[in-house]
Amino acid sequence: MLEHALLYDAQGQPLLSGRLNASREWAEVNAFCNRVYMPLAARPLVEGADPNATLRTLSIGRIILSRFCFGVPTKADEFDSSSGNIIVVNTMRGSVRHPLSDGASVDTRPGDSYVVDCSRTDYWNVADGHDLQFNLTIPHKLMEETAQRWYGFVPEDDLWKRRLVFGCGHSAWLSLLDYATRSVDAQSDGIASPLMEKRMEETLCLELLRGWAECSGLNLETGARSAAPRYVREAEQLMKEQAHKAPTVTDIASQLGISARSLSEGFRRFRGITPHDYLTAQRLDGLRRALEEALPGETVSSIAAERGYVNLTAMTAGYRRRFGESPFQTLRNRPARL
């Protein structure tokens, strides 16, 4: 599995022709690592050894995919936490040693997948020189957004600080990666359409989040959501029910008999976002449903106006960020009514 990842597309056409795909120069290899992963220190374990590196990379949305190896026994450490990135190492050949959360270490073998959030904990690895890795670089912020969208809260550091192996052998995760790489189009060096790219980004993040939490012993379905104060959960319900009326955060807080400041503090502590961000997401979700269910003759402007949108430019920008397409595209592509 992943044997042809970032080598050929779904039609068997070569990918990344004309790009730097290999190097025997440490300067080039280090520049690649700093750009694709984050600033780090890499040094050969055999004095004076030159790299025989594989350097291939493409992006799916904000996720960077890379087919990589140093080609000589190498230790990498001093990963820069300020980069805010999560690294997923999928070992395809040889072995790579990584730290675990209990202070031990693990040697990943072909078919093993390892995850670490370098923005939350330190990291190092030792490659045996015969290894080949298929890696993902994912912004921590993107994973937070995915958790909020699907589970209604942002996990705390009891998840993000877990360094672990979450998949082995022919896992569903590797099958998903294989599918994602086969969807790459050699003609455009990217996914076939912005909408497909957005959905693939979302699917990769969601599957990683699920596997990471499961191996950490965390239940995202009942996690911080049930621990949040009643007023936070009631505020979420009110926002869902009233999103089409375009309420303000102050309106919601007033209905609950609390201050907007208290509501904001509750959301930040138990949801990891502001109530304004949550309300904005609910309004956009409602707008999308209205566009998908629109009657003949209805327009984006008329539907948006009914839901309290005044600045259509700002609304469109937010909509595109959330769904990977414009409101007009959603309206145009809505299912035909029988």
Side-chain angles (χ1 to χ4, degrees):
M1 199 172 293
L2 294 175
E3 292 88 350
H4 296 150
L6 303 192
L7 297 180
Y8 303 99
D9 69 3
Q11 287 73 45
Q13 297 300 310
L15 280 170
L16 306 174
S17 299
R19 295 194 185 182
L20 175 66
N21 291 319
S23 178
R24 300 191 65 90
E25 299 291 336
W26 279 111
E28 289 180 336
V29 174
N30 287 329
F32 177 91
C33 290
N34 290 347
R35 174 174 59 85
V36 173
Y37 306 120
M38 64 197 74
L40 56 88
R43 52 194 177 279
L45 298 180
V46 177
E47 186 175 356
D50 291 326
N52 186 17
T54 296
L55 313 171
R56 301 179 72 90
T57 180
L58 278 176
S59 296
I60 293 180
R62 287 171 281 177
I63 300 174
I64 301 176
L65 312 176
S66 54
R67 186 184 182 100
F68 175 78
C69 70
F70 288 108
V72 294
T74 303
K75 181 170 185 179
D77 55 16
E78 299 181 26
F79 284 72
D80 184 6
S81 62
S82 67
S83 65
N85 287 334
I86 293 167
I87 300 294
V88 182
V89 180
N90 305 282
T91 303
M92 300 171 61
R93 184 179 68 209
S95 70
V96 183
R97 180 164 295 175
H98 315 267
L100 296 174
S101 295
D102 61 4
S105 61
V106 63
D107 292 336
T108 55
R109 306 291 181 179
D112 293 343
S113 299
Y114 172 93
V115 61
V116 57
D117 187 342
C118 294
S119 74
R120 295 297 188 271
T121 188
D122 64 295
Y123 176 58
W124 53 264
N125 67 48
V126 178
D128 70 0
H130 303 290
D131 61 294
L132 179 62
Q133 309 160 30
F134 186 80
N135 301 330
L136 283 77
T137 307
I138 306 175
H140 175 90
K141 181 65 175 176
L142 177 57
M143 289 293 286
E144 284 191 343
E145 292 171 1
T146 303
Q148 175 61 48
R149 195 152 49 240
W150 285 88
Y151 295 103
F153 73 98
V154 176
E156 297 185 3
D157 281 352
D158 56 347
L159 175 65
W160 308 125
K161 287 187 176 181
R162 296 291 180 94
R163 303 173 296 191
L164 52 80
V165 175
F166 69 96
C168 300
H170 296 283
S171 65
W173 167 250
L174 291 182
S175 296
L176 176 60
L177 292 182
D178 195 53
Y179 171 75
T181 59
R182 289 175 185 272
S183 300
V184 174
D185 183 354
Q187 301 304 312
S188 61
D189 280 352
I191 299 301
S193 70
L195 179 57
M196 177 66 173
E197 185 172 5
K198 182 68 176 177
R199 289 178 175 172
M200 187 64 71
E201 176 192 81
E202 182 95 342
T203 303
L204 289 170
C205 288
L206 185 60
E207 182 63 19
L208 173 60
L209 187 64
R210 186 199 63 78
W212 196 350
E214 183 177 275
C215 291
S216 299
L218 302 176
N219 189 335
L220 296 177
E221 297 290 345
T222 60
R225 184 183 305 186
S226 61
R230 181 177 178 180
Y231 70 84
V232 171
R233 288 179 277 125
E234 289 182 345
E236 289 174 329
Q237 187 61 36
L238 287 175
M239 290 178 189
K240 290 178 181 178
E241 294 173 351
Q242 301 177 19
H244 64 287
K245 299 179 181 179
T248 65
V249 172
T250 300
D251 293 335
I252 298 296
S254 178
Q255 293 179 59
L256 295 170
I258 62 174
S259 68
R261 181 176 180 179
S262 295
L263 186 58
S264 294
E265 290 175 350
F267 265 78
R268 287 184 183 279
R269 180 179 178 185
F270 292 95
R271 295 300 188 245
I273 62 171
T274 67
H276 178 268
D277 287 342
Y278 185 88
L279 180 56
T280 297
Q282 294 305 312
R283 292 190 65 204
L284 288 172
D285 288 350
L287 175 61
R288 183 176 180 82
R289 288 192 295 271
L291 291 169
E292 291 174 336
E293 298 169 0
L295 298 173
E298 290 189 292
T299 66
V300 170
S301 297
S302 65
I303 295 171
E306 289 178 358
R307 305 186 72 84
Y309 286 101
V310 177
N311 188 333
L312 294 184
T313 300
M315 178 275 290
T316 299
Y319 190 98
R320 188 182 292 277
R321 283 194 300 270
R322 185 163 179 79
F323 302 114
E325 64 179 4
S326 70
F328 175 76
Q329 288 172 310
T330 301
L331 181 64
R332 182 187 60 193
N333 298 329
R334 71 188 186 281
R337 288 178 173 269
L338 299 178

